[in-house]
Amino acid sequence: MIVLVTGATAGIGKATADLFAKNGHHLIITGRRKNRLDTFKKELEEKYKVAVLALNFDVTKLAEVKAALGNLPDAFKQVDILVNNAGLASGLSTIQDGDIEDWEKMINTNVKGLLYVTRTIAPGMVERKKGHIINISSIAGKEVYANGNVYCASKHAVDALNKGMRIDMLQHGIRVTSINPGMIETEFSVVRFHGDEDKAKKVYQGLTPLSAEDIAETIYWTTSRPAHVNINEIIIMPTAQATATNVVRK
Ligand code: NDP
Ligand code: 8X3
């Protein structure tokens, strides 16, 4: 099988690519940080003896998405599983103080980037009547919390797109799943706080957050159900977190 994971240079995407490779699948990995991508490709190939295509592009740039994914080499053309994972939060502030550049980054990456990639890959799945699209949403796609406004809106959009895709793909036998996690300790909070690592660490202090590997296993599980089973959506939280804002810390 060919598995395409967007945003595989860190966090969930990296752990997911690793797990699929470990299970013998061939991979297309993407991300903007070329060095990381190339190093990871070599690691996967050496460790698991699978074929890996590393594509270095920005999901927010339609021309780059089309150039990278619109003309895949024959060996990688038939994408069986697309994991729409590339995404980010940028900033955490009230709507009246929000930074418009942050908003554009989140909407362009989480919503438009996911759409550009899906629009490029889904037609092949429809043609082959085979495929599985996994959309990484968030608890922020189910709830809204203080200062999360635009990030939450972008993930609510992913939630709606997941439902829409599921309806559109139904007649073609393509599975569509969304994963909606709570707190996972990745580079997510460092990016949200514009590189402030101390602030990012505090998000996870006094509790055991989810790990990127927890989410990779969940994604893998949804794809390994029998063909007649579609997991529409999963909300997965640390045991120490009940809702976006109800958290216990020791
Ligand atoms: P990380 O910051 O660790 O990883 C994000 C990945 O997305 C990186 O590989 C990054 O690669 C890629 N990415 C970001 N912007 C772009 C872009 N414009 N073009 C291409 N790739 C891009 O975060 P996570 O692994 O935690 O996040 C993955 C997904 O999970 C996101 O959609 C996030 O919203 C979601 N999520 C995260 C949660 C958490 O608490 N961590 C909880 C719920 C959902 P590069 O920088 O190299 O381009
Ligand atoms: C990331 C989790 O709670 O910061 O999507 O929105 S949260």
Side-chain angles (χ1 to χ4, degrees):
M1 279 214 287
I2 309 288
V3 183
L4 162 52
V5 183
T6 66
T9 56
I12 297 171
K14 189 160 192 250
T16 301
D18 190 279
L19 185 58
F20 276 100
K22 192 176 179 181
N23 282 280
H25 301 296
H26 303 302
L27 281 157
I28 305 172
I29 53 173
T30 86
R32 292 165 303 176
R33 286 170 288 183
K34 189 170 177 352
N35 285 348
R36 281 197 188 199
L37 206 58
D38 292 343
T39 307
F40 188 39
K41 169 186 153 76
K42 274 193 205 124
E43 255 175 53
L44 292 175
E45 286 171 338
E46 278 165 21
K47 206 159 138 197
Y48 302 120
K49 312 292 174 219
V50 294
V52 181
L53 178 67
L55 297 175
N56 175 221
F57 65 91
D58 183 334
V59 295
T60 69
K61 309 246 164 76
L62 179 57
E64 289 187 21
V65 174
K66 280 187 175 168
L69 298 178
N71 197 17
L72 290 167
D74 283 348
F76 290 94
K77 248 192 177 56
Q78 305 201 349
V79 175
D80 295 290
I81 297 170
L82 162 62
V83 185
N84 273 322
N85 165 75
L88 81 179
S90 194
L92 187 68
S93 64
T94 60
I95 206 82
Q96 60 274 25
D97 291 326
D99 178 326
I100 288 174
E101 267 183 38
D102 277 340
W103 295 355
E104 282 175 344
K105 231 184 257 174
M106 290 187 275
I107 293 166
N108 289 343
T109 312
N110 301 351
V111 185
K112 290 168 77 175
L114 180 143
L115 282 170
Y116 296 161
V117 171
T118 305
R119 181 64 183 84
T120 312
I121 295 299
M125 291 182 168
V126 167
E127 210 177 295
R128 295 186 296 279
K129 303 261 174 219
K130 188 168 172 275
H132 194 162
I133 300 174
I134 314 281
N135 295 306
I136 308 301
S137 180
S138 168
I139 190 63
K142 298 289 180 188
E143 299 175 28
V144 177
Y145 50 84
N147 302 320
N149 40 62
V150 176
Y151 178 69
C152 295
S154 74
K155 289 300 186 179
H156 273 67
V158 175
D159 200 52
L161 287 170
N162 186 69
K163 289 177 184 143
M165 282 183 208
R166 171 88 178 102
I167 295 166
D168 297 343
M169 296 287 125
L170 180 62
Q171 61 183 313
H172 304 292
I174 291 153
R175 302 197 280 185
V176 180
T177 299
S178 84
I179 311 287
N180 299 267
M183 287 181 197
I184 314 156
E185 192 162 6
T186 59
E187 294 175 12
F188 175 85
S189 290
V190 179
V191 173
R192 167 170 262 175
F193 296 124
H194 304 123
D196 186 335
E197 301 206 357
D198 291 337
K199 210 166 168 186
K201 263 196 200 106
K202 288 198 183 109
V203 174
Y204 311 104
Q205 246 164 30
L207 61 88
T208 306
L210 295 168
S211 67
E213 289 71 24
D214 292 326
I215 307 305
E217 281 173 16
T218 307
I219 293 169
Y220 188 79
W221 179 79
T222 69
T223 65
S224 54
R225 295 309 83 217
H228 69 284
V229 177
N230 187 87
I231 306 297
N232 282 7
E233 57 179 31
I234 289 181
I235 298 178
I236 171 169
M237 308 290 279
T239 304
Q241 183 183 18
T243 68
T245 50
N246 284 85
V247 172
V248 280
R249 294 179 200 270
K250 292 200 178 107

